[in-house]
Amino acid sequence: MIVLRSLMSPVAAALAAAMFATVALPPLAQARVIATEDVAGPTLAAAAAAQEARASLLGVIAREDVQARLRSLGVEPGEAAARVRALSDAEAVAAAQRLPTDPAGQDAAGALIGAALVIFLVLLVTDLLGLTDIFPFTRNAR
C-alpha cells in the first residue's frame, strides 16, 4: 500500500499536467474553408498557359506550308505533333514564346556566310588602315 501511494503522486501530477495542457493551450490547427484559387491558383494558371502554348504550337504544325517544310526535312507532321505533346509545360511555354521572335528559314549555312563576311570586312578594314598585311590588293603600288 505504501508503494502504491508513493507511485500515485507522480502519476497524478503527470495526468494533471496532461489534462491542463489539452484544455488550456490553444489548438495548433484551425479548420476553415479554403478557396481553390488560394491553393492551386498558380498551378492552374501555369497549366492553362501550357495548354494554350501547346495548342498554339500544334496550330502551327497543322498549317499546310509547315507540314510541307517538315516533310522536305524528313520529319512526319504526326511525329512533330507527338513531340509537341510530349514537351513539359515549361518547354511548351518557352517554345511558344520564342516562336514569334525566331527568324523564319534561317539555317546554319546562312549564319556561316554572315560570320565569314563580317570577318572578311574586319580584316579588310584593318588592312586598309595598315594594321595588318593580309590582302595584296590593298597595298599602294610602289
Side-chain angles (χ1 to χ4, degrees), residues 44-128:
L44 289 175
Q51 283 294 85
E52 188 175 312
R54 275 193 190 87
S56 171
L57 292 171
L58 289 172
V60 170
I61 291 175
R63 292 182 6 207
E64 285 297 321
D65 59 334
V66 173
Q67 288 183 358
R69 180 69 177 146
L70 285 172
R71 284 191 188 99
S72 72
L73 293 172
V75 179
E76 285 300 316
E79 183 182 338
R83 288 183 183 186
V84 167
R85 287 186 200 97
L87 291 174
S88 70
D89 290 349
E91 291 171 336
V93 170
Q97 287 174 347
R98 265 194 339 259
L99 191 63
T101 60
D102 281 349
Q106 183 176 1
D107 56 351
L112 184 62
I113 291 171
L117 185 62
V118 167
I119 291 171
F120 172 74
L121 289 175
V122 167
L123 291 175
L124 182 64
V125 167
T126 58
D127 210 30
L128 287 172

